[in-house]
Amino acid sequence: MDNSHRHRSHLFTVRLWLEPLGHQQREVRSRVRHVLSGETRHFRRLSDLMEWLARYCEEMEQEDDM
């Protein structure tokens, strides 16, 4: 196995919940937390969470290419 290329991994916790909005409406909310750094982000739309994770992974790949 070639040890010259180190694989980095990142551990996140993701919390999803239904937030009541009133008038029998609810909205899915989410929070993602990077376990090692403690950085936390909150999202009101699942699509925003997914976009943030995709950007994070892209940045991680770019750093590995350097």
Side-chain angles (χ1 to χ4, degrees):
M1 177 177 269
D2 182 8
N3 289 330
S4 65
H5 182 70
R6 296 183 332 180
H7 292 280
R8 296 184 320 152
S9 64
H10 295 261
L11 179 63
F12 294 94
T13 58
V14 177
R15 179 178 175 238
L16 303 169
W17 69 96
L18 288 173
E19 186 72 27
L21 299 175
H23 304 292
Q24 298 181 349
Q25 295 180 331
R26 297 182 293 179
E27 181 177 75
V28 175
R29 302 281 177 92
S30 60
R31 179 189 77 195
V32 61
R33 182 176 158 267
H34 188 267
V35 173
L36 295 178
S37 71
E39 178 184 357
T40 303
R41 304 275 177 137
H42 291 87
F43 302 94
R44 292 186 75 171
R45 297 183 322 170
L46 288 177
S47 60
D48 292 340
L49 167 63
M50 301 306 290
E51 288 173 19
W52 183 85
L53 283 171
R55 278 194 314 271
Y56 191 96
C57 291
E58 288 172 6
E59 290 172 7
M60 201 170 67
E61 286 177 349
Q62 290 172 357
E63 287 176 7
D64 279 350
D65 290 342
M66 292 181 180

